[in-house]
């Protein structure tokens, strides 16, 4: 009995920290930048959901990178990065991404892949293309949603299957009837088992030595009291359950899902960081109450695409839909995730504006509402705006929030008071160090 008590005492004394970082709006908020900034203090960075349908842009001394599968903490030489169980992995895309990073002189020796992560197969992508052609919701046609759908059908291969190719062949033999029937239903051609077997063999040669059992791997870090950062993709408004369904992604980019896919108790999460832009943006279809494409000030915010942080998608290159900051969205995502801290990115994009509009609430069918509306209602709401004065001075060289222009500080305080979460980081440029902190 004494020995057991001592073991528990030792575990209680460990000063580990599990942090989860997620998008607080519609995606593209600047999560890659914040993760890259925080990574040096982490022993392990875990990408916990999503696929290569979205990207995190990282700009540091090694160059400009648009990461779609590899955690943004890959540049931390003193830690490891894990592509987690909740992700879906296209091994071809992963190989390309690793090659890009390695060509810049950055090692990927510290990258591991969960054996329980699902493999995104060529037929997933083909089905996505065919389904979108029949009338979709504006997906990236990368096969992400189809792969997650097959996960729920229990007809997917996982990365661990690359460690036993004969067993993988047997599973594919069973799955292909369903796959080819579905392809035929959408007017596609059948896929051949031999071609898939060849793919699996090449992927096994490339990735087998990186595949780990994720539960024992992660819990070794937890038991040793290490610092772990879980990196979410997209954002809470694109969550399959809590977001603007059906204009959502196919996984749960909310903080609690890090524990679900990580295989550890949610009560072990120490801190949740929400990342937001100082304005709003979205890609794809769906309601977007504060969108204001005709305002010339929004054109100033967008940029012309010549800069890495101009408002064009990291994966698609598409011009993003833009609008003013939407506080009802931030209040809603704070409620869902319980943000302990918020990182407010791209405030420098507002430097040249005379005035800044902020949505503080909604009217639905002529009356102000006190709840966050469902998707159909969100299409009909009218935003209630307040207008704040701009600051008309550059913020890019500032590194302390207290040193920002007075009107910028007032803007930050205005947001904090209305969402109920403190802003600890303010992005004032594209580079890793272009960050004002408390």
């Amino acid at each position: 009995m004494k020995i057991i008590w001592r073991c528990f005492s030792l575990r209680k004394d460990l000063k580990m920290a599990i942090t989860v970082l997620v998008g607080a709006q519609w995606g593209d908020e600047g999560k890659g930048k914040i993760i890259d900034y925080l990574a040096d203090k982490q022993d392990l960075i875990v990408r916990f959901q999503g696929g290569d349908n979205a990207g995190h842009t990282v700009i540091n001394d090694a160059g400009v990178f648009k990461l779609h599968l590899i955690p943004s903490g890959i540049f931390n030489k003193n830690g490891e990065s894990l592509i987690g169980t909740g992700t879906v992995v296209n091994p071809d895309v992963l190989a390309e991404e690793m090659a890009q990073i390695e060509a810049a002189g950055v090692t990927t020796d510290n990258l591991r892949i969960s054996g329980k992560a699902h493999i995104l197969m060529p037929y997933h992508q083909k089905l996505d293309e065919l389904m979108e052609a029949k009338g979709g919701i504006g997906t990236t046609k990368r096969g992400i949603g189809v792969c997650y759908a097959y996960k729920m059908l229990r007809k997917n291969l996982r990365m661990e299957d690359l460690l036993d190719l004969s067993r993988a062949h047997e599973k594919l033999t069973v799955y292909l009837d369903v796959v080819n029937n579905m392809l035929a239903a959408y007017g596609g051609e059948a896929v051949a088992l031999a071609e898939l077997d060849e793919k699996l063999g090449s992927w096994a040669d490339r990735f087998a030595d990186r595949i780990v059992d994720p539960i024992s791997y992660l819990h070794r870090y937890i038991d040793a009291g290490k610092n772990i950062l879980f990196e979410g993709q997209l954002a809470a408004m694109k969550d399959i359950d809590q977001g603007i369904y059906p204009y959502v992604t196919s996984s749960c980019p909310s903080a609690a899902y890090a524990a679900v896919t990580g295989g550890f108790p949610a009560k072990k999460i120490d801190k949740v960081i929400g990342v937001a832009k100082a304005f709003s943006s979205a890609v794809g279809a769906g309601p977007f109450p504060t969108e204001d494409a005709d305002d010339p000030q929004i054109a100033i915010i967008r940029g012309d695409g010549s800069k890495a942080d101009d408002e064009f998608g990291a994966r698609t290159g598409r011009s993003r839909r833009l609008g003013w900051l939407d506080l009802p969205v931030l209040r809603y995502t704070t409620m869902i995730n319980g943000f302990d801290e918020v990182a407010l990115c791209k405030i420098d994009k507002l430097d040249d504006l005379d005035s800044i509009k902020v949505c503080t609430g909604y009217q639905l069918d002529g009356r102000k509402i006190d709840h966050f509306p469902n998707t159909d209602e969100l299409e009909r709401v009218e935003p209630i705006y307040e207008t704040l004065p701009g600051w008309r001075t550059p913020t890019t060289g500032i590194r302390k929030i207290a040193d920002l222009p007075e009107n910028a500080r007032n803007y930050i305080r205005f947001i904090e008071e209305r969402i109920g979460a403190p802003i600890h980081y303010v992005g004032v440029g594209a580079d890793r160090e272009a960050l004002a902190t408390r």
Side-chain angles (χ1 to χ4, degrees):
M1 190 70 175
K2 290 181 181 178
I3 294 174
I4 294 174
W5 174 250
R6 285 173 186 161
C7 289
F8 277 111
S9 296
L10 285 170
R11 288 173 63 89
K12 189 175 181 181
D13 290 341
L14 291 174
K15 294 182 179 180
M16 74 167 184
I18 295 179
T19 301
V20 183
L21 184 146
V22 294
Q25 294 161 307
W26 317 86
D28 302 310
E29 300 94 347
K31 295 180 291 296
K33 173 190 174 70
I34 303 301
I35 295 160
D36 186 43
Y37 178 83
L38 297 173
D40 286 346
K41 298 178 181 178
Q42 309 302 319
D43 299 297
L44 176 65
I45 299 94
V46 184
R47 166 74 180 277
F48 70 87
Q49 48 77 222
D52 63 288
N53 52 328
H56 291 170
T57 300
V58 175
I59 303 172
N60 55 32
D61 293 343
V64 178
F65 303 89
K66 296 183 184 296
L67 304 179
H68 306 288
L69 284 171
I70 296 176
S72 301
I74 192 68
F75 305 99
N76 175 12
K77 298 176 182 178
N78 299 316
E80 290 198 344
S81 292
L82 174 68
I83 299 174
T85 295
T87 60
V88 293
V89 180
N90 183 328
D92 288 338
V93 172
L94 179 56
E96 292 171 5
E97 200 164 306
M98 290 171 63
Q100 175 205 7
I101 291 173
E102 290 164 355
V106 178
T107 181
T108 62
D109 290 348
N110 56 352
L111 178 65
R112 301 291 178 268
I113 309 167
S114 166
K116 297 181 186 297
H118 285 239
I119 301 176
L120 194 152
M121 301 292 286
Y123 50 76
H124 293 137
Q125 189 165 355
K126 185 60 180 175
L127 273 168
D128 196 359
E129 293 171 358
L130 292 168
M131 292 168 74
E132 278 294 301
K134 297 288 186 180
I137 61 167
T139 76
T140 57
K141 304 177 185 177
R142 311 294 299 185
I144 311 302
V146 177
C147 187
Y148 276 115
Y150 272 71
K151 174 180 180 176
M152 297 307 176
L153 288 171
R154 297 173 294 279
K155 296 191 183 298
N156 265 356
L157 296 178
R158 303 199 292 189
M159 291 300 293
E160 63 194 11
D161 288 308
L162 297 182
L163 305 179
D164 186 347
L165 292 177
S166 62
R167 180 66 180 136
H169 172 86
E170 293 174 7
K171 291 179 181 180
L172 270 183
T173 302
V174 175
Y175 301 161
L176 271 190
D177 282 345
V178 172
V179 171
N180 284 330
N181 284 336
M182 194 168 182
L183 282 167
Y186 282 94
E189 296 181 2
V191 294
L193 181 59
E195 293 178 7
L196 297 177
D197 280 338
E198 185 176 349
K199 276 277 190 188
L200 294 177
S202 66
W203 292 340
D205 291 341
R206 183 73 173 85
F207 299 112
D209 61 345
R210 297 179 184 270
I211 297 170
V212 298
D213 170 66
I215 304 300
S216 59
Y217 176 84
L218 181 60
H219 278 267
R220 280 197 295 272
Y221 278 87
I222 294 173
D223 293 343
K226 300 294 187 179
N227 292 325
I228 307 169
L229 175 63
F230 285 84
E231 168 185 350
Q233 177 230 37
L234 285 171
M237 292 306 298
K238 294 290 187 176
D239 187 286
I240 186 74
D241 291 313
Q242 312 303 339
I244 52 167
Y245 187 90
Y247 308 103
V248 291
T249 193
S250 305
S251 58
C252 298
S254 298
Y257 198 57
V260 173
T261 61
F264 67 92
K267 64 184 178 182
K268 287 186 179 290
I269 296 174
D270 296 285
K271 182 188 295 184
V272 179
I273 301 175
V275 184
K277 277 177 177 170
F279 47 95
S280 297
S281 74
V283 174
F288 185 5
T290 66
E291 185 173 16
D292 197 350
D294 297 327
D295 192 316
Q297 295 202 106
I298 294 295
I300 294 173
I301 293 172
R302 180 184 306 285
D304 59 7
S306 62
K307 298 178 182 178
D309 64 340
D310 283 345
E311 291 302 314
F312 298 84
R315 163 51 74 192
T316 64
R318 291 183 292 192
S319 175
R320 294 178 183 132
R321 301 165 65 190
L322 294 186
W324 299 105
L325 186 65
D326 190 325
L327 294 182
V329 163
L330 288 183
R331 284 195 293 268
Y332 178 66
T333 60
T334 300
M335 184 191 311
I336 292 168
N337 291 281
F339 297 139
D340 298 293
E341 299 173 0
V342 171
L344 187 69
C345 292
K346 295 196 173 186
I347 201 171
D348 58 298
K349 294 288 186 176
L350 310 181
D351 287 352
D352 296 326
L353 304 188
D354 294 317
S355 60
I356 302 163
K357 292 168 65 175
V358 182
C359 172
T360 58
Y362 298 142
Q363 280 193 333
L364 178 63
D365 301 331
R367 63 181 180 83
K368 187 175 180 179
I369 57 175
D370 60 2
H371 66 281
F372 196 81
N374 64 39
T375 304
D376 292 337
E377 292 172 335
L378 201 61
E379 295 273 18
R380 307 200 315 271
V381 299
E382 296 179 8
I384 300 169
Y385 286 113
E386 289 191 34
T387 301
L388 303 181
W391 43 92
R392 297 289 295 178
T393 186
T395 58
T396 52
I398 297 173
R399 296 296 175 263
K400 292 291 182 183
I401 292 176
D403 295 332
L404 288 168
E406 181 180 3
N407 283 348
R409 298 198 308 274
N410 291 340
Y411 184 66
I412 292 165
R413 192 177 304 114
F414 186 88
I415 297 167
E416 289 176 321
E417 290 172 352
R418 285 156 181 78
I419 68 172
I423 294 172
H424 283 201
Y425 311 91
V426 175
V428 291
D431 294 341
R432 172 195 286 178
E433 301 303 325
L435 203 66
T437 61
R438 289 288 181 194

